[in-house]
Amino acid sequence: MTARLSDIAAQAGVSEATVSRVLNGKPGVAGATRESVLAALDVLGYERPVRLRQRSAGLVGLITPELDNPIFPALAQVIGQALTRQGYTPVLATQTPGGSTEDELTDMLVERGVSGIIFVSGLHADTTADTTRYDQLRGKGVPYVLINGFSPKVQAPFVSPDDRAAMVLAVTHLAALGHTRIGLAVGPKRFVPVLRKIEGFRKGMQERFGLSPEEAEELIQHSLYTLEGGQAAAAALISRGCTAIVCASDMMALGAIRAARQQGLQVPRDVSVVGFDDSPLIAFTDPPLTTIRQPVQAMGQAAVRALLEEVGGTPAPHSEFVFMPELVVRGSTASAPVRG
């Protein structure tokens, strides 16, 4: 325990005697000093003594579905920086295949005494998921904010990009280049952002080409939000005569480029590809990817602001803050090929 005391004391910038007093629940320690010692325990990965696990003013949980897709680390970075500037310590909890579920991560964060939790693309985005888990969390007095995905059943602030507007932007850009057979590669149908992207795509195709929802449906391919998923979806859309493909993520778009090349086609000469997110480094792919930029900075900061208002005792409204995405034109889109 001696080594442990010295580690904690060094981390908190106090004496070992002070650490001992805090751990044993003895009086005579200033509140700020006590918080420093408890935060040092958390940072060093030590369990807090059970009696000291009251809600810390310092910790905010951030739950993401994975870190393989670069948009999630980008959001985590913005949120982490915004929390740190406000004197909070972000605790990143990531779901992994075969690892911890969102519910298990939530329980772990609540046990740690976090002040609040920010969920990114969580079960709230899944229309088939049971939302009572969020009611239970509210019942425990833990404020939370949800990013990407909206549910009228969950009483909390939501932060989202405008998925419908994003698809209209993409379709309008491709139509202006002369494309008429435009395909959409998206994730599974049960997710709110997917349903919204489909609505936007149908609207764009109806406005530009007069396509009915049924006709537009033939140009939509569901797959996984991965490079391989994008590749499979694009291969199917190319076989249906699509000369342009809008993808629901940059990773899917990279898969779409690979699918085109496997069929001996060039991007953008034969097939144009549009991504979604504008993840870090995506400007440096071959070719540089035309994509819809998620306003990550604004969304992350809004989520932190809404959460900290609630932590401070001002209940945040049950509303959705919707941020306008931006089309970033690079080298993966060009005029439609002339059919000889």
Side-chain angles (χ1 to χ4, degrees), residues 152-278:
K153 299 180 206 155
V154 180
Q155 297 296 308
F158 289 82
V159 174
S160 310
D162 192 331
D163 289 298
R164 297 182 187 93
M167 294 301 102
V168 173
L169 278 175
V171 169
T172 302
H173 167 63
L174 293 166
L177 291 170
H179 294 275
T180 54
R181 290 287 288 178
I182 300 169
L184 175 64
V186 278
K189 200 176 255 184
R190 66 181 191 275
F191 295 111
V192 173
V194 171
L195 294 170
R196 288 176 168 182
K197 285 186 176 77
I198 290 171
E199 282 179 38
F201 178 75
R202 282 178 178 160
K203 181 175 183 235
M205 296 300 279
Q206 201 276 322
E207 286 175 354
R208 292 284 144 190
F209 309 111
L211 262 62
S212 68
E214 293 73 31
E215 289 169 321
E217 193 63 40
E218 292 174 22
L219 300 169
I220 298 169
Q221 185 67 36
H222 294 275
S223 192
L224 298 175
Y225 276 109
T226 59
L227 197 138
E228 294 78 14
Q231 186 176 347
L237 291 168
I238 290 168
S239 72
R240 288 177 216 160
C242 290
T243 61
I245 299 169
V246 183
C247 298
S249 78
D250 289 337
M251 297 299 280
M252 291 183 86
L254 296 182
I257 292 171
R258 185 196 276 180
R261 285 179 178 158
Q262 277 189 336
Q263 296 191 30
L265 303 171
Q266 285 187 27
V267 176
R269 190 190 72 188
D270 304 307
V271 180
S272 286
V273 176
V274 179
F276 185 90
D277 286 337
D278 197 28

